Amino acid sequence: KYVHEIEKVYIIQKGNKEKRFSTSKQFLKLYSKNKNELQEYITKNQIDFNTIMQVLELYNYTEKMAQ
């Protein structure tokens, strides 16, 4: 048997709960208040949810927006 695909699941702390996401759709659902702006950022910066550093950049951007 061969592995065809590995799906990354990201876990963040939001409030007192752990939230999981692996796609942009799931991420945007967690941050629905800023959905339009974040969607624009994801598209403009071509965020690939299989690339950890890109997702980390997106998360950091999102956290700065919340401050």
Side-chain angles (χ1 to χ4, degrees):
K1 293 184 177 184
Y2 296 100
V3 175
H4 293 280
E5 186 177 324
I6 296 174
E7 183 178 323
K8 291 181 173 65
V9 176
Y10 302 98
I11 302 170
I12 59 172
Q13 194 76 25
K14 194 159 191 240
N16 294 332
K17 296 183 179 182
E18 279 189 351
K19 300 290 185 174
R20 297 170 184 261
F21 64 93
S22 57
T23 66
S24 62
K25 184 176 179 179
Q26 292 170 344
F27 183 83
L28 291 171
K29 193 172 181 181
L30 295 175
Y31 292 97
S32 57
K33 278 186 176 180
N34 303 100
K35 181 179 179 178
N36 293 334
E37 188 173 347
L38 291 173
Q39 180 63 60
E40 187 177 311
Y41 181 89
I42 290 168
T43 303
K44 179 182 173 188
N45 294 285
Q46 299 177 341
I47 301 296
D48 176 4
F49 277 75
N50 289 314
T51 306
I52 295 169
M53 290 307 294
Q54 289 184 16
V55 174
L56 182 59
E57 285 177 27
L58 171 63
Y59 175 74
N60 288 336
Y61 175 79
T62 304
E63 287 299 303
K64 284 180 187 175
M65 283 177 45
Q67 293 177 355

